[in-house]
């Protein structure tokens, strides 16, 4: 029986972004992916938060009859996976994150939130705006972006995991970060890996932040090597 693997997408993303990676991992794992509420055409039902997305994940796990699973989380999805590991440790086996931002303060968040202006993006990056409109249809991608920015602001103001949270996570976790990631620093990734009881850091030379810009075979190989090793759980 193959190990189970849940794949959690990033902010402004959807499960559709995992198509190629899922195809690579399906022969190796029993793979599950889904879109968080408000993403990928799902209804917008309330303010976005990490806890809300944790609950989305638990609901899908329960629906699929999955008691516990490995997790691969890209960007925000990695943060959701670790919050899930902290709050519901028995539901999580091992965790791999890629390009996940861990350092949240008003100063560190301000620049990212400024980028969450849908009107400016529509004017200056129309191709990206078109991609988001298609990805989240029939939901309003602009409202998704606004709610994401509001969530990030709240995280910067204190609604985020602290070092004590990370210290209490015992699951084997691989923190992956690309050397050319413009959204997340190697330093904050290394710091968080060091705070986790069983954390490891893997820097990937040349990798940038956008999932579509990274080599999917490399990510699949990293996940398989780490998640398939003999020592399981926490």
């Amino acid at each position: 029986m193959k190990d189970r693997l849940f794949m959690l997408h990033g902010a402004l993303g959807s499960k559709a972004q995992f198509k190629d990676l899922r195809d690579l991992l399906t022969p190796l794992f029993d793979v599950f992916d889904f879109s968080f509420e408000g993403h990928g055409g799902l209804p917008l039902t309330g303010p976005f938060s990490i806890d809300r997305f944790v609950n989305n994940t638990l609901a899908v796990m329960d629906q699929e009859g999955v008691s516990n699973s490995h997790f691969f989380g890209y960007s925000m999805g990695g943060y959701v996976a670790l919050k899930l590991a902290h709050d519901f440790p028995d539901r999580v086996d091992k965790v791999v994150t890629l390009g996940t931002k861990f350092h949240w303060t008003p100063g560190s968040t301000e620049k990212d939130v400024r980028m969450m202006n849908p009107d400016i993006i529509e004017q200056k990056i129309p191709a990206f705006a078109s991609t988001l409109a298609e990805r989240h249809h029939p939901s309003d991608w602009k409202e998704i972006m606004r709610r994401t920015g509001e969530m990030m602001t709240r995280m910067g103001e204190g609604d985020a995991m602290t070092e004590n949270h990370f210290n209490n996570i015992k699951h084997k976790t691989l923190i992956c970060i690309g050397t050319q990631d413009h959204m997340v620093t190697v330093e904050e990734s290394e710091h968080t890996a060091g705070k986790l009881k069983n954390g490891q850091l893997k820097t990937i030379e040349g990798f940038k932040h956008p999932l579509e810009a990274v080599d999917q075979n490399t990510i699949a190989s990293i996940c398989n090597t780490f998640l398939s090793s003999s020592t399981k759980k926490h």
Side-chain angles (χ1 to χ4, degrees):
M1 180 178 178
K2 293 187 289 188
D3 285 352
R4 291 160 295 200
L5 173 62
F6 267 73
M7 305 173 72
L8 307 182
H9 66 76
L12 306 179
S14 76
K15 70 175 186 177
Q17 293 176 283
F18 286 135
K19 181 184 181 305
D20 292 342
L21 184 58
R22 176 171 183 155
D23 288 346
L24 292 169
L25 289 171
T26 294
L28 308 170
F29 301 94
D30 189 7
V31 181
F32 300 84
D33 58 8
F34 67 98
S35 295
F36 295 125
E37 64 179 77
H39 298 72
L42 297 181
L44 290 157
T45 58
F48 290 168
S49 71
I50 298 300
D51 285 336
R52 183 179 288 268
F53 297 148
V54 165
N55 288 332
N56 291 167
T57 307
L58 290 171
V60 175
M61 293 180 74
D62 291 344
Q63 178 181 321
E64 298 289 347
V66 175
S67 58
N68 83 306
S69 175
H70 297 310
F71 283 85
F72 169 75
Y74 164 65
S75 194
M76 179 189 73
Y79 201 96
V80 175
L82 287 179
K83 188 63 160 61
L84 179 64
H86 178 274
D87 292 353
F88 301 92
D90 291 340
R91 306 302 299 268
V92 178
D93 198 334
K94 296 180 184 177
V95 178
V96 177
T97 73
L98 173 65
T100 297
K101 180 178 177 63
F102 299 106
H103 182 60
W104 293 91
T105 66
S108 69
T109 307
E110 183 179 359
K111 178 183 176 182
D112 293 337
V113 172
R114 282 203 308 268
M115 295 170 60
M116 293 286 178
N117 187 317
D119 296 328
I120 292 177
I121 286 177
E122 192 170 44
Q123 293 172 12
K124 295 189 175 182
I125 322 176
F128 183 45
S130 178
T131 295
L132 292 177
E134 181 179 355
R135 178 182 298 163
H136 300 297
H137 179 79
S139 296
D140 180 4
W141 71 270
K142 293 184 177 182
E143 181 59 24
I144 293 169
M145 183 169 284
R146 291 188 187 98
R147 295 190 191 193
T148 300
E150 291 169 356
M151 176 183 70
M152 292 168 63
T153 297
R154 292 193 302 273
M155 293 175 71
E157 293 172 346
D159 188 19
M161 285 191 285
T162 66
E163 291 196 350
N164 284 336
H165 287 94
F166 294 120
N167 283 333
N168 289 328
I169 296 173
K170 300 177 182 179
H171 306 69
K172 289 187 174 296
T173 302
L174 184 65
I175 305 294
C176 300
I177 181 65
T179 58
Q180 295 185 22
D181 194 315
H182 65 286
M183 299 291 292
V184 183
T185 66
V186 172
E187 290 75 17
E188 71 180 280
S189 301
E190 183 176 26
H191 180 80
T192 300
K195 290 298 178 182
L196 295 165
K197 296 290 187 184
N198 289 292
Q200 301 177 40
L201 176 74
K202 184 171 185 63
T203 57
I204 310 174
E205 192 65 35
F207 265 39
K208 301 179 180 180
H209 189 79
L211 184 63
E212 295 81 0
V214 304
D215 182 73
Q216 304 295 297
N217 285 285
T218 298
I219 297 303
S221 177
I222 290 170
C223 287
N224 185 38
T225 299
F226 182 74
L227 299 177
S228 297
S229 59
S230 58
T231 304
K232 299 186 65 174
K233 290 215 76 165
H234 46 278

